[in-house]
Amino acid sequence: MNIRFSADKGLGGVLIPPPDKSLTHRALMLASVSSENSEIYNPLETGDCISTKSCLESLGVRFLDEKSALEKNSGKKYTVQGVGLHGFIEPKSILNAGNSGTTIRLLSGLIAGLPIYAVMSGDDSLCRRPMDRVVKPLNLMGGKIVGRENGKFAPLTFLPGDGLLNPLNYELPVSSAQVKSSLLFAGLRSRGTMVITGKVHSRDHTERMLKAFGLPIEAGEGIVKLEPVFELPGFKFLVPGDISSAAFFIAGSLLSGRELTVKYCGINPTRTGFIRILKRMNADITIEETGIELGEPVGIIKVKPSSLTGTVINSVEVPDCIDEIPLIAALALCAEGTTMVRGAEELKIKETDRLHAISVLIESLGGTVEILNDGFIIEGPQTLSSGTVKSMGDHRIAMSGAILSTCVKGGITVEGFDAASISYPNFIEHFSTLGGSTDA
Ligand code: S3P
């Protein structure tokens, strides 16, 4: 699907972003292995999260869908009938994680070592992404997982175990919330303490949820420790808005000099690195906390017109803004001076090689960027021209292309825009409500 976006009058107003993708995945999975029923309000119902839900259904979990009566949102409510930590049944067919790294990696931690045989795979992009980062440590726990090229790639096969896993003391070699969460999920069924050290700084949703359930988890500077448990309690959770989705319109409002208010948005500090970087780029942005949901702070973000300046982003900051780096590139094109990102080599193994995708995107619009092996350098401001860009099948690249229409006259066509539905099903509708137009 090719869509033409133009935003000559800019993008601004009030935005209620779609529900958080990372939080929906975790809520669906933890509700499934709880020993009671749980209620999830406002789950993200699209691409990746549908993959998680259908894998869980194949593992024997039942979801009762209802329209939510909650005033705050018009979304759905799922009542999840948890089967317990040992309750998954042997799936009759291959579990399909689609395009979702979070589904395959986190779910691996819940399946490994159970007395069932299961195979999990996904689309071409997912089958190219490294799985050994979870397969190796889960196998050290006795997980019995095999995969293509010695466990490096999906399809992954889970051979039956006795249900319990060995305790593990593991130094994380990569900063990845997916790996950390997979190991914590496995640690729930371990025979002893799970200790994770090394690169543990990344989004901490799993730690916060487990803590909110009252489970024996300690998360400190450079270390996370979890004691095994027999069961998880049921819970109620109203999923906050996704700051990574809101980020597109935050960038759009700054690029076009319009005010924007984002309501009911997750503002967990391990997800707001983008906002901290924007403030350093001279953006006038405020965050006000309005509540807490299962340990997750929720609030309002206000953005005012600002003249942006370039900045340097180093490896320490990258985990807290990993999904927003394509947008940092878009903003750098309009900022005064040099912007440099380093330590972001993980971008090469996302849904597509996002460093390459950033350069193709910018060059298709007549801009320039110097791509490094772990980041990029952009000199701004640059004058971009109207044109056509490719999503490369990556939701975040598709939407970054659409947002760049705020800084060109005549609009931008995004080829393969359907990729955006992986995380932001109503992007086109929000683009129009906030002042832009499309030919959709
Ligand atoms: C996610 C973690 C990040 C992020 C992805 C979602 C999660 O991936 O890029 O969009 O929900 O845990 P990594 O853990 O590979 O960095």
Side-chain angles (χ1 to χ4, degrees):
M1 182 172 73
N2 298 351
I3 307 274
R4 182 104 187 140
F5 292 88
S6 36
D8 296 343
K9 295 190 194 108
L11 296 171
V14 176
L15 172 73
I16 299 184
D20 191 279
K21 180 159 83 67
S22 291
L23 288 173
T24 301
H25 281 299
R26 285 159 175 80
L28 292 173
M29 292 187 201
L30 287 173
S32 297
V33 295
S34 121
S35 303
E36 297 168 325
N37 284 2
S38 297
E39 291 174 7
I40 304 174
Y41 296 87
N42 195 36
L44 180 67
E45 274 208 297
T46 181
D48 282 5
C49 295
I50 291 175
S51 298
T52 287
K53 185 168 171 254
S54 72
C55 288
L56 291 166
E57 282 168 332
S58 303
L59 289 159
V61 181
R62 286 197 63 210
F63 293 81
L64 311 176
D65 296 8
E66 290 165 41
K67 262 272 171 224
S68 165
L70 282 193
E71 267 175 46
K72 272 189 185 157
N73 68 87
S74 56
K76 277 268 188 82
K77 167 188 166 188
Y78 294 153
T79 298
V80 187
Q81 299 183 332
V83 296
L85 281 165
H86 296 262
F88 284 162
I89 57 164
E90 200 161 74
K92 291 196 181 68
S93 51
I94 293 178
L95 300 169
N96 184 359
N99 189 242
S100 175
T102 311
T103 306
I104 192 165
R105 294 192 179 119
L106 268 65
L107 208 45
S108 292
L110 288 181
I111 299 175
L114 286 178
I116 60 173
Y117 167 83
V119 180
M120 188 154 43
S121 194
D123 67 11
D124 287 353
S125 148
L126 195 65
C127 289
R128 282 194 299 269
R129 297 177 66 187
M131 293 301 142
D132 47 350
R133 48 181 59 198
V134 289
V135 169
K136 275 187 189 157
L138 290 174
N139 280 346
L140 287 175
M141 297 177 80
K144 297 187 188 163
I145 308 172
V146 286
R148 270 191 312 124
E149 293 191 26
N150 203 18
K152 190 155 190 222
F153 299 112
L156 300 181
T157 298
F158 298 77
L159 300 172
D162 64 8
L164 291 178
L165 292 164
N166 302 324
L168 183 68
N169 197 325
Y170 191 65
E171 188 177 336
L172 259 190
V174 280
S175 164
S176 162
Q178 292 177 354
V179 180
K180 180 176 59 173
S181 301
S182 181
L183 296 181
L184 289 173
F185 281 1
L188 294 168
R189 278 182 295 112
S190 145
R191 294 183 182 86
T193 313
M194 156 72 79
V195 182
I196 310 175
T197 57
K199 298 192 175 174
V200 289
H201 184 85
S202 55
R203 64 190 66 192
D204 63 358
H205 302 307
T206 305
E207 294 94 304
R208 282 173 186 256
M209 274 191 185
L210 296 179
K211 210 178 258 175
F213 298 157
L215 301 188
I217 179 162
E218 276 173 50
E221 200 55 43
I223 184 162
V224 184
K225 271 191 197 176
L226 174 73
E227 299 298 334
V229 294
F230 292 107
E231 49 184 24
L232 296 184
F235 58 90
K236 286 188 184 174
F237 184 42
L238 173 60
V239 182
D242 197 323
I243 191 160
S244 297
S245 296
F248 292 101
F249 290 106
I250 293 175
S253 81
L254 284 168
L255 289 172
S256 58
R258 295 263 317 268
E259 284 194 18
L260 178 77
T261 301
V262 183
K263 291 190 171 165
Y264 198 66
C265 190
I267 51 167
N268 176 325
T270 60
R271 297 287 299 281
T272 50
F274 177 60
I275 307 283
R276 290 191 287 279
I277 290 162
L278 285 179
K279 282 189 171 175
R280 215 166 59 221
M281 292 176 84
N282 197 37
D284 183 350
I285 302 192
T286 50
I287 301 186
E288 182 199 337
E289 186 176 312
T290 52
I292 304 263
E293 275 289 322
L294 275 189
E296 289 291 334
V298 179
I300 298 176
I301 303 171
K302 289 192 174 151
V303 188
K304 295 211 169 124
S306 320
S307 305
L308 300 179
T309 52
T311 191
V312 175
I313 293 133
N314 60 38
S315 58
V316 178
E317 291 181 290
V318 166
D320 292 350
C321 66
I322 184 76
D323 291 340
E324 289 70 63
I325 292 179
L327 283 172
I328 292 174
L331 288 153
L333 291 168
C334 299
E336 186 69 47
T338 309
T339 297
M340 177 160 73
V341 174
R342 300 305 304 261
E345 56 278 356
E346 279 285 305
L347 287 181
K348 293 187 199 161
I349 49 164
K350 291 291 175 191
E351 285 82 333
T352 183
D353 174 345
R354 285 196 179 145
L355 283 182
H356 173 66
I358 286 169
S359 78
V360 175
L361 187 66
I362 293 175
E363 281 157 15
S364 319
L365 300 172
T368 56
V369 51
E370 184 185 343
I371 298 294
L372 311 170
N373 66 345
D374 64 347
F376 55 79
I377 301 173
I378 291 177
E379 300 292 342
Q382 299 186 21
T383 308
L384 301 179
S385 45
S386 150
T388 297
V389 300
K390 289 184 170 44
S391 74
M392 302 188 178
D394 183 321
H395 54 134
R396 300 200 197 279
I397 298 301
M399 292 184 277
S400 301
I403 288 302
L404 275 170
S405 66
T406 49
C407 38
V408 301
K409 282 209 168 62
I412 291 177
T413 298
V414 183
E415 282 181 13
F417 190 76
D418 26 323
S421 68
I422 283 292
S423 60
Y424 205 147
N426 45 356
F427 181 90
I428 292 175
E429 179 196 325
H430 286 179
F431 190 89
S432 306
T433 328
L434 294 174
S437 59
T438 73
D439 62 0

